[in-house]
């Protein structure tokens, strides 16, 4: 058993109110409970409700931190939105493992332009336009709700979520499920939905559709990092996986945070807090990025 | 009672739920006569009347044993055709319930169901029955008006005409004048008296004076049993049973 | 005759099939939820709050959401009753036969009844932002109260309509004031009030859209009206969108709990209605 | 004496206040939604908003036509499925079922009415979607994901079953036994009596039930959005996905409400719903009043 | 008609919607007598009766002009206190409507709202009124049972007892026996006759024979107008007006 932590003369106290994106809610709860162990006098009130709601709450002064999982609109910046990024996640294109051309697809990968023509322009309609011979039509699935994942995937092409084609399915699991059930399906998912967090391997039925980053028509060794979640997060962290479709998740303040407990909390999250990130399916920020973000609160 | 009975009830027992509503009823309703059923509230008059044309069947929780012979045929025989039985008997309820359609269609409803489609034939039938109930002159200019526009008394006569249009043999009336004013009441009473030439008539009534005016025979029911049955004058003026005497006292006072 | 009989038989069979479909859908739904949720059911689900973030953590239960839901639905139903009983009485007994006015009021409540709960939720949130009010138990209760008022008013109005006018006359002619008459009528419709409560509570406990923005969501059991509160339908909704299969399973188990709560309330109220019908002939 | 009357007077005023307050909610919501819709109404006209099909809010293109059509499709399908089934069920329960069967059936219908929308949604995803995808759609179209207006319609239909059945049953119960007896004793079969008398007499009640059900169906959010595909495209067949207005609000409001124009667009969607329901109620009232006048006089 | 009238109606006109239901009614209801209102269905009897204790006020779309003086005081005066007026008049409707409470509480209801709280006083009052209506012996062992358990006839007497318990001066009855069997009917009729010593009684009835049995005066209403008013024998046996003669013919036949 650990000896009880002797609290240093602790002058960090107060109440921190947080609300916002579902995507950040669980890890924030984790951070808060860990932070409370160090500074027992701090009280947290955390509530989920959507990024827009968090941003509205934060900008109207109802909460201290809005959890933001999407791009900040210029109109929000005008109102004083001030974002500090705290972690990352990524969106990965997916397809069904039962796809008749699966082997060739894994070997050749898909180029960014090809994705663009599938998801946005709709000019690629059949799987054999990518690889293989079977002229099965591509069934595109997309997110029906305004979501970080959809937005990030669209941003890969410089577009908005509303530009994506396909049948809208509600929620990440719904989208994963839809692709899992349809051999001709294609979709995209936050990586946490593609990997089993216990075995760290890809879940059965769906598979990441590898991106041919350098466009040479085949998946090279340095493009092949999809077998475990750890390989993939490493690739995202060092930039081998393009960003977007990786994205930063942030805390949004109204103006630069001043209150001591807020600053301490952000500092904690950007230092010790990062060690809880990966086990929960998020991706740690790179060292450089952490330094950059820390500067924002100093 | 010299003729053969038109309806013959034998050992009829009716239970609703676990209540014994009618208890070993035996009675012969005479042909081409008016028979009145009297008795205190809740004694089972309505139930008895409804057992004659099997309307009781629709009551939740009912169980019926015994026989009801109409023209010698047991209507509770499982093979008996219930719509056929009901067609034989016209029913006139306490308040008039015109069907939600025009005056003409009300009378034509029954014949139409039984397959009469020709306009001419229907026209004739409707006119005939409206005349029989004395309504023709009052409504002949507005046969297509809704039947609910008529006064209560007229509605009740319309319901009678509607019943007669399927050429029944028996007319059943359950307190058919209790919602009417005296003028309408006496029109209906007169109709009953005139109709007994062609039909057997069974009436339930609370008004002993009415029973006396219109009926040839009276059945006194009490607590689900038939206490007394006989010619009108005998039962009302010279009852054999103590219970009957007690009951008709109110009439005499 | 044969044709008439055949037609009747044909429709009788259709009716039977329809009745089986309608009632069968109940079993289908409850069956699906049981099959999916039962394997993940355990005592902790009912007695513990979530451990380590409901989304990631697989420990603990959803006590916070159960309590939150009961608070929200209970609070809204009580608040709603306090408002809608006077309204129903007023429409029926104090408008002295101003038929056009009372009918217009009824139409207004019908329209309010038809307004989707998402609109109440969004609208409630607008008002809260306007007044600088954070998502909280109180916010949720208020939004849901708006939602149930039309339900309660309509149901009570209907029930009061079934009370024979002669009964009201009887009370009035004994020299009762309208309020005293109203009390007699309320007594007469007690079973109807239970029906209304049941309807409103059922609707309140199951509604997601109205609390989505107004009640907030938290892993703790709220200790005051100003704290955010989780509700069961929202918890189900979130858990089902978790990447972790086990958490999704917990979502189904939560759905099972919600279903059972609703079923128990329905059955209880049916029993209560029977018990309170004593004075009705 | 005086106190009793005073009490009555005071309570009467109090009740008046309560009534006015709760009714004025209608006004407040209407005005509130309108005020919040002003930014988008300043950018484009009612006509273009309602008739345009292009939905690219971040590019400033707001076309609500697909959502209006999505709402109509889903609601329409739900009524088409639910009405005949419920009418037949109610007739069965009221007219044909034995007391024993009725005692069993009615509670189940009541229980169904208690099940919350989320549960219907979950059930729809688990049961109806695969059913359509694998068993129904293949007979009609080349491929459907199952996420379709049909799925929304079916789930919604099941949700409004109890509402319609219970109202129609109530209406049927108010039809006097004597009226049915009148028809029966003319030798009509039970079915003839139902067809020609009962249904005719019950027509206004049935219409009222449908009106209420449609009102309810219009606004149902969560259950429908979980199954109907939510594609901002006008559906052309029952197997196409659709995107009803309430789903639009629920899907996007929490994420986008801090962006002024987007927020305003979503409030406009709510305003549209509000107006549709208002008009629908008033028009159906008028029709019903005329019908009743025609039937009673 | 030698005494001062108890109720004096002057130029009373009642409209409902755009229908003229009562047309310039003028009548003086005598004190401590039984007055019966007769007339065909829909002629306005009920409306007239309900105008006496301002129950009409609650009818949708009603408008009332003219005066109704009770003990010389105009009850339609805007300053008049309506609960006070109603307390003066007991109402007995067509079917009994017991309040949803026990037998005891039904009778005690009126006294309680008028401020009598003492158990002893209430007990005495309840017993007194139940005895006055002849119910005491039938219900004294089950005063706490629900009133709906009683038979219809008993319920009607209970409603009368309930009305008497607030010590009214006038009793209004609207076809108060039409749902009852002859035995219960004659009990209620006897009660009316015995009560006229202490109360003025106004009854609406369809049954002319009943009007004759119980009433001292008769009002004949037709089409919203008073056609004839006078002592019972005069109106029934020797009517002055042609319309009245036509109407009471049914009674004589
Ligand atoms: N559907 C029913 N369910 C239960 N009991 C019933 C039903 N119908 C009638 N009864 C009971 O059967 C008994 C006889 O009823 P019925 O209607 O035949 O009496 P009645 O002589 O016609 O009375 P009334 O003069 O009041 O019309 C009553 O005690 C009544 O309570
Ligand atoms: N609430 C109402 N709305 C419209 N018309 C009404 C209303 N109440 C009564 N009437 C009309 O007023 C007239 C007189 O009705 P009232 O009930 O006084 O007649 P009545 O003589 O008591 O008839 P009955 O003998 O049938 O009881 C009738 O034509 C009736 O249709
Ligand atoms: Mg009867
Ligand atoms: Mg009357």
């Amino acid at each position: 058993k650990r000896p009880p932590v002797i609290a240093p003369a602790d002058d960090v106290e107060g109440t921190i109110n947080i609300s916002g994106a579902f995507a950040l809610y669980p890890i924030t709860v984790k951070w808060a409970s860990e932070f409370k162990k160090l500074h027992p006098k701090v009280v947290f009130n955390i509530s989920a409700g959507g990024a827009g709601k968090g941003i509205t709450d934060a900008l109207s002064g109802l909460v201290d931190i809005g959890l933001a999982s999407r791009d900040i609109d210029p109109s929000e910046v005008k109102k004083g939105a001030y974002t500090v990024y705290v972690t990352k996640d990524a969106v990965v294109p997916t397809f069904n493992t039962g796809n008749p051309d699966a082997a060739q697809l894994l070997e050749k990968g898909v180029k960014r332009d090809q994705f663009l023509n599938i998801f946005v322009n709709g000019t690629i309609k059949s799987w054999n336009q990518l690889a293989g011979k079977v002229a099965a039509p591509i069934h595109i699935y997309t997110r029906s709700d305004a979501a970080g994942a959809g937005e990030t995937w669209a941003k890969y092409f410089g577009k908005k979520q509303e530009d994506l084609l396909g049948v809208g399915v509600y929620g990440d699991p719904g989208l994963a499920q839809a692709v899992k059930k349809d051999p001709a399906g294609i979709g995209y998912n936050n990586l946490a939905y593609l990997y089993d967090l216990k075995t760290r391997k890809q879940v059965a039925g769906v598979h990441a559709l590898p991106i041919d980053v350098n466009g040479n028509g085949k998946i090279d060794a340095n493009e092949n990092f999809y077998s475990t979640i750890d390989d993939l997060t490493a690739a995202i962290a060092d930039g081998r996986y393009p960003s977007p479709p990786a994205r930063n998740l942030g805390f949004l303040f109204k103006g630069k945070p001043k209150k001591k407990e807020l600053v301490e909390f952000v500092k904690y999250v950007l230092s010790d807090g990062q060690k809880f990130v990966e086990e929960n399916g998020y991706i740690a920020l790179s060292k450089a990025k952490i330094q950059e973000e820390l500067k924002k609160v100093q | 009672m010299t003729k053969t009975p038109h309806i013959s009830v034998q050992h009829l027992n009716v239970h609703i739920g676990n209540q014994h509503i009618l208890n070993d009823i035996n009675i012969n309703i005479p042909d081409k006569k008016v028979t009145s059923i009297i008795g205190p509230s809740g004694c089972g008059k309505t139930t008895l009347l409804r057992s004659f044309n099997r309307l009781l069947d629709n009551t939740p929780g009912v169980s019926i044993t015994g026989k009801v012979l109409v023209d010698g045929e047991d209507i509770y025989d499982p093979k008996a055709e219930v719509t056929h039985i009901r067609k034989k008997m016209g029913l006139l309820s306490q308040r008039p319930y015109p069907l939600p359609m025009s005056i003409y269609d009300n009378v034509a409803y029954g014949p139409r169901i039984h397959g009469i489609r020709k306009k001419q034939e229907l026209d004739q039938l409707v006119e005939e029955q409206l005349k029989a109930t004395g309504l023709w002159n009052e409504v002949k200019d507005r046969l297509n008006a809704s039947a609910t526009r008529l006064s209560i008394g007229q509605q009740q006569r319309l319901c009678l005409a509607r019943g007669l249009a399927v050429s029944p043999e028996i007319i059943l009336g359950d307190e058919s004048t209790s919602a009417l004013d005296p003028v309408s009441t006496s029109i209906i009473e007169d109709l009953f008296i005139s109709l007994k030439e062609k039909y057997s008539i069974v009436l339930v009534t609370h008004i002993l004076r009415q029973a006396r005016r219109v009926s040839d025979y009276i059945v006194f029911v009490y607590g689900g049993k038939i206490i007394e049955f006989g010619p009108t004058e005998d039962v009302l003026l010279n009852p054999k049973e103590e219970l009957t005497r007690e009951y008709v006292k109110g009439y005499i006072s | 005759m044969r044709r008439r009989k055949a037609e009747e038989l044909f429709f009788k069979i259709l009716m039977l099939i329809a009745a089986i479909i309608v009632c069968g859908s109940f079993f289908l739904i409850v069956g699906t939820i049981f099959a999916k949720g039962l394997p993940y059911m355990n005592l902790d689900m009912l007695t513990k709050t979530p451990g380590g973030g409901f989304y990631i953590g697989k420990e603990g239960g959803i006590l916070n959401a159960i309590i939150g839901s009961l608070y929200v639905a209970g609070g809204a139903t009580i608040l709603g009753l306090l408002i809608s009983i006077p309204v129903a009485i007023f429409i029926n007994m104090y408008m002295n036969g101003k038929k056009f006015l009372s009918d217009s009021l009824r139409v207004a409540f019908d329209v309010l009844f038809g307004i989707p709960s998402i609109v109440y939720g969004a609208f409630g949130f607008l008002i809260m932002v306007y007044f600088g009010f954070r998502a909280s138990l109180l916010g949720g209760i208020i939004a849901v109260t708006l939602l149930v008022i039309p339900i309660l008013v309509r149901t009570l109005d209907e029930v009061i309509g079934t009370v024979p006018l002669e009964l009201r006359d009887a009370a009035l002619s004994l020299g009762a004031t309208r309020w005293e008459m109203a009390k007699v009528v309320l007594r007469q419709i007690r079973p109807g009030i239970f029906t209304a409560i049941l309807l409103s509570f059922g609707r309140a406990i199951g509604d997601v859209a109205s609390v989505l923005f107004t009640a907030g969501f938290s892993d703790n059991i709220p200790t005051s009206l100003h704290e955010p509160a989780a509700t069961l339908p929202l918890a189900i909704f979130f858990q089902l969108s978790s990447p972790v299969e086990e958490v999704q399973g917990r979502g189904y188990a939560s759905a099972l709990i919600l279903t059972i709560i609703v079923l128990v309330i329905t059955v209880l109220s049916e029993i209560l209605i029977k018990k309170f019908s004593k004075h009705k002939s | 004496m005086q106190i009793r009357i005073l009490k009555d007077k005071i309570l009467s005023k109090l009740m008046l206040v309560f009534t006015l307050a709760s009714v004025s909610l209608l006004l407040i919501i209407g005005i509130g939604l309108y005020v919040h819709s002003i930014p988008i109404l300043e950018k484009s006209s009612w006509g273009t908003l309602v008739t345009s099909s292009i939905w690219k809010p971040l590019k400033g293109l707001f076309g609500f036509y697909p959502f209006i059509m999505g709402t109509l499709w889903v609601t329409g399908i739900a009524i088409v499925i639910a009405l005949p089934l419920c009418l037949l069920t109610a007739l069965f329960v009221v007219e044909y079922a034995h007391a024993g069967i009725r005692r069993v059936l009615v509670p189940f219908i009541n229980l169904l009415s208690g099940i919350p929308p989320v549960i219907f949604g979950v059930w729809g995803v688990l049961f109806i979607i695969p059913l359509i995808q694998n068993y129904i759609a293949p007979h009609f179209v080349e491929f459907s994901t199952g996420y379709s207006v049909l799925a929304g319609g079916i789930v919604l239909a099941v949700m409004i079953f109890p509402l319609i059945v219970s109202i129609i049953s109530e209406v049927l119960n108010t039809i006097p036994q004597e009226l049915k007896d009148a028809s029966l004793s003319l030798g009509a079969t039970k079915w003839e009596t139902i067809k020609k008398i009962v249904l005719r007499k019950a027509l206004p009640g049935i219409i009222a039930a449908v009106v209420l059900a449609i009102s309810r169906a219009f606004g149902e959010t969560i259950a429908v959005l979980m199954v109907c595909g939510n594609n901002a495209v006008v559906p052309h067949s029952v197997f196409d996905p659709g995107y009803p207005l309430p789903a639009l609000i629920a899907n996007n409001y929490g994420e986008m409400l801090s962006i002024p124009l987007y927020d305003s667009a979503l409030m406009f969607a709510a305003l549209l719903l509000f107006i549709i329901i208002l008009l629908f109620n008033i028009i159906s009232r008028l029709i019903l009043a005329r019908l009743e006048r025609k039937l009673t006089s």
Side-chain angles (χ1 to χ4, degrees), chain B residues 16 19 21 40-47 59 175 206:
Chain B
I16 299 180
Q19 265 186 290
I21 310 284
S41 193
C43 69
K45 301 183 293 297
T46 301
T47 310
T59 312
E175 299 185 39
H206 261 145

Side-chain angles (χ1 to χ4, degrees), chain C residues 1 4-5 7-8 11-12 14-23 25-30 32-33 36 82-91 94-95 103 105-123 125-127 129 146 149-150 153-154 158 175-180 182-183 199 202-203 205-209 212-213 233-234 236-237 240 252 254-256 258-259 262-263 266-267 270, chain D residues 1 4-5 7-9 11-16 18-20 22-23 25-26 28-33 36 84-89 91-93 96 105-120 122-123 126-127 158 161-163 165 167 170 187-192 194-195 212 215-216 218-222 225-226 245-247 249-251 253-255 257 263 267 270-271 273-274 277-278 281-282 285:
Chain C
M1 194 62 223
R4 291 167 59 199
K5 284 261 139 177
E7 187 183 323
E8 171 147 36
F11 278 97
K12 249 167 133 166
L14 272 191
M15 284 180 205
L16 193 65
I17 294 173
I20 290 171
I21 292 177
V22 168
C23 295
S25 58
F26 170 78
F27 288 104
L28 217 54
I29 291 170
V30 174
T32 311
I33 301 297
K36 277 287 197 175
L82 288 180
I83 295 170
S84 49
I85 287 182
V87 172
I89 290 178
F90 187 82
I91 294 179
Y94 279 80
M95 302 205 48
D103 278 358
L105 282 178
R106 290 196 174 98
V107 177
F109 279 104
D110 269 8
V111 176
L112 281 173
F113 176 81
I115 291 181
S117 59
I118 182 80
V119 174
Y120 283 113
F123 186 74
F125 180 72
L126 282 182
I127 292 180
V129 170
L146 299 184
I149 284 178
V153 170
R154 280 180 44 93
E158 249 167 53
T177 59
R178 288 172 300 182
W179 170 241
E180 284 157 350
K183 283 199 288 193
L199 264 177
R203 187 81 193 275
I205 204 169
D207 198 75
V208 186
L212 198 51
F213 317 120
L234 267 185
I236 296 170
F237 209 54
L240 289 181
Y252 294 122
S254 310
L256 181 57
L258 177 58
T259 310
V262 169
L263 295 189
T266 316
V267 171
E270 296 261 325
Chain D
M1 184 73 186
R4 288 173 52 221
I5 289 155
K7 196 164 145 193
D8 186 61
K9 291 244 163 73
L11 282 170
S12 133
K13 293 286 171 302
L14 208 66
M15 289 184 208
L16 178 66
F18 273 48
T19 308
L20 290 181
S22 42
V23 163
L25 194 60
L26 195 61
I28 296 172
I29 291 181
I31 294 172
L33 293 181
H36 275 85
L85 280 176
C86 291
L87 188 57
L88 287 168
T89 305
L91 284 172
F92 180 73
V93 168
Y96 283 95
L105 281 185
V106 174
F108 280 120
I109 297 170
N110 286 345
L111 286 179
L112 192 58
S113 73
I115 293 180
V118 193
I119 307 281
F120 280 99
V122 173
W123 173 70
L126 292 175
F127 189 84
V158 177
F161 277 167
L163 187 70
V165 171
I167 299 181
E170 255 168 51
T189 62
K190 203 157 183 176
W191 172 247
E192 284 164 338
I194 288 170
K195 194 169 62 173
L212 208 64
S215 284
R216 183 93 168 74
F218 263 147
E220 183 42 50
T221 314
I222 293 298
L225 83 80
M226 289 168 84
L245 282 166
I249 305 171
N251 271 339
Y253 194 63
E255 291 296 320
L257 63 92
D263 177 43
M267 285 299 120
L271 182 67
L273 269 178
F274 180 87
I277 282 162
L278 190 73
N281 264 282
I282 290 171
R285 284 275 163 161

Side-chain angles (χ1 to χ4, degrees), chain D residues 233-279:
Chain D
V233 175
V234 179
H236 294 289
S237 94
V238 295
F239 298 107
D240 284 347
Y243 205 158
L245 282 166
L248 172 71
I249 305 171
N251 271 339
N252 298 297
Y253 194 63
E255 291 296 320
M256 299 301 184
L257 63 92
S258 55
I259 303 175
L261 212 53
Y262 211 131
D263 177 43
S264 174
L266 296 178
M267 285 299 120
F268 181 73
L271 182 67
L272 276 181
L273 269 178
F274 180 87
I275 292 172
I276 292 177
I277 282 162
L278 190 73
L279 287 182

Side-chain angles (χ1 to χ4, degrees), chain B residues 63-75:
Chain B
S63 78
I64 305 164
T65 61
K67 284 185 177 174
V68 175
L69 306 180
V70 176
D71 296 327
E73 192 191 347
D74 182 11
I75 64 169

Side-chain angles (χ1 to χ4, degrees), chain B residues 101-242:
Chain B
M101 40 185 83
S102 73
I103 296 175
Y104 182 97
D105 289 340
N106 257 276
V107 183
Y109 178 81
R112 278 198 182 122
I113 279 185
H114 296 292
I116 300 181
R117 293 260 169 258
K118 283 210 208 81
K119 175 105 179 65
Q120 212 182 341
E121 212 173 325
L122 284 174
D123 283 354
Q124 198 195 327
L125 236 162
V126 169
E127 181 172 342
E128 208 172 281
Q129 300 312 337
L130 287 176
K131 276 182 175 156
T133 51
L135 262 182
W136 180 249
N137 283 325
E138 295 164 46
V139 303
K140 65 169 183 274
D141 304 324
R142 44 173 177 156
L143 287 175
N144 288 320
S146 167
T148 47
R149 290 261 182 86
L150 298 174
S151 81
I152 302 275
Q154 290 171 325
Q155 287 185 15
Q156 192 65 306
R157 281 187 278 156
L158 178 67
C159 292
L160 188 55
R162 181 181 69 192
L164 296 180
V166 295
S167 21
E169 298 167 10
I170 301 167
I171 297 171
L172 309 174
D174 190 358
E175 299 185 39
S176 310
T177 63
S178 75
L180 307 183
D181 59 88
V183 176
S184 308
T185 301
S186 79
I187 294 176
I188 298 271
E189 283 178 5
D190 292 348
L191 269 173
F192 282 143
I193 294 170
S194 72
L195 288 171
K196 77 175 169 184
E197 281 181 19
K198 283 160 73 188
Y199 308 92
S200 307
I201 299 175
V202 186
L203 303 176
V204 167
T205 182
H206 261 145
I207 308 166
L208 299 186
R209 196 159 291 272
Q210 181 174 70
R212 176 153 188 208
R213 275 196 295 268
V214 300
S215 56
D216 304 301
Y217 293 90
I218 284 189
V219 187
F220 175 57
V221 181
Y222 189 91
K225 292 192 188 133
I226 291 189
I227 305 297
E228 197 159 346
F229 172 49
T232 301
E233 300 286 310
D234 292 5
V235 176
L236 287 187
L237 301 179
N238 196 10
K240 289 198 213 75
E241 302 290 325
E242 179 55 34

Side-chain angles (χ1 to χ4, degrees), chain A residues 86-108:
Chain A
V86 290
T87 183
K88 273 180 115 159
D89 71 359
V91 173
V92 182
T94 58
F95 75 117
N96 189 295
T97 38
N99 190 304
D101 298 328
Q104 279 125 308
L105 283 166
L106 289 178
E107 199 176 297
K108 290 177 71 180

